[in-house]
Amino acid sequence: MTAELSITNEVRIVFEVLGNEDDQLQSAIIEKKDLTDGNTMGCYISINSCDQNLSRCCEIIEMNSVIQGQLFTILSETAREGGHYAGVETIKSRLLPWLGTCFSSAISGRPFETNLSLTQDSMEKERQLRKFANSQTFELQELQKELTSTRLQLSHVQQDLTETQLALEDTKAKSATTLLAAEDEIVQLKAALKASHAQEETALRNLDCLNDYEQQIQILKDEISILDAQKSVLQSRLARSRSPSPRHSQSRSPSPLPLRSCSPGRARLTNASRHAYLVARFGDIYAQERLDAETLLRTYISDMEMVQRIIYIAAVEAFHAAKMAYRHFKMRVRKTLSLGHSGPESLEDTVLDYIVRHEDLYDVQASVNEVIRSMNINPKISFPPEIDFIVISSLIRELCRVAFSMQTLIPPLDIAFGTDGELFNETKYRHSFDSDFTAPLVAYHVWPALIENDVVIVKGEAVTKRGALWSHRSRSRSRSRSRSTSPLRSHCLSRSRSSSPLRSGSPRL
């Protein structure tokens, strides 16, 4: 009886909750209720058999299953309308706990009111969840609206960016065109500049050629004036020689040089080239003419030391004679040109230019004779009496020419002053092949060193030997005593051995 009442109450509560309106099932339940009420009051007592009760229960289960099927169908359709994930939270929070509590209450026998309270709590939570879902849906709609507006703005920005890119491409194309035009213009300007440089170089070359032509013309004019002056001088001499004159005996005296015009600055313009030529010529004389002179002297003198001493003294005396001749020649030219000098250049430059252009007027034979006279009275050398030093006159002549031309340089070149017995200097000399390289003193010199402003520019050659200096000094004293009998030779010896002012100082190391 108690079980039937509980089942009837549960069914009634289920229908009240679900709101089912099945009339047949409801009438059956009411009838069952009336029976149970009558049994309770004692007004009507009817006892069903076991089979009837089981049949009723089976009918209720069948109806309940039908109702549950309809409920689950409604539930699935409702969930389908909400989408793929709609209602998941509701099912998890209300349906699953309720199903669990129903099965657990059926096993444990807990009262149905607990399930009802749980159901009501679940409904409240569902309502709250629905409210929360509505708020979330509203927020989602707002976010969708904002997203839509943002996408619209982004589309506008992309459109602006596209327009900007197009404008940039257009600007790049215009800039590239302008750059190409500028490069073409630069190339044309470079070509024009190169052409102008070529024209300028051509004009400069033409100008240089024109200057050279003008200088050559001026030189030719100077030569013509010189020839005219010489012609007039020769005509005047010829006229004087034809006419009797009491001063006819003085016609052989050296007449003053004619006044000749010269190109200004010629000596200074050609100084470097003449310097290089004369230095090279000095080396050629040492390498060629000196060896030829040695070979010639060896046919008369067997002593190699004496041969080398003769050649060295010939070189020294040639420079001395050439310098003396240059001084006299310069004094004559200065005296002649000073009478009619006029022009922007100084008198010294004019004199030097004249000497450079007229070196052929230098009387080299007189210098050669002076050198031979000085060598004949030199006590350091000796020569067979049947032979004269004139056999090496070609070497002496070349040395005199070179020495005279070296005096026209700015500054002039000279040879280094050397004495027997001096300390060997590596800067001025180099050892000869037969020297004693351990000897510190010079026995005798083979070739002089060439200096410029007391600085050695071409080394000479010297012989160093131990003990040879004292023996040579004894021979020199005996030779000097034997030659000192003649007062004329002693006077010439003192004159020849006096050093020139240019050789009075030792070279600077």
Side-chain angles (χ1 to χ4, degrees), residues 264-279:
R266 180 181 178 85
R268 295 185 181 274
L269 290 175
T270 61
N271 186 74
S273 60
R274 291 187 295 111
H275 181 279
Y277 168 74
L278 292 174
V279 172

Side-chain angles (χ1 to χ4, degrees), residues 205 258 280 290:
R205 285 195 296 269
R290 181 185 68 88

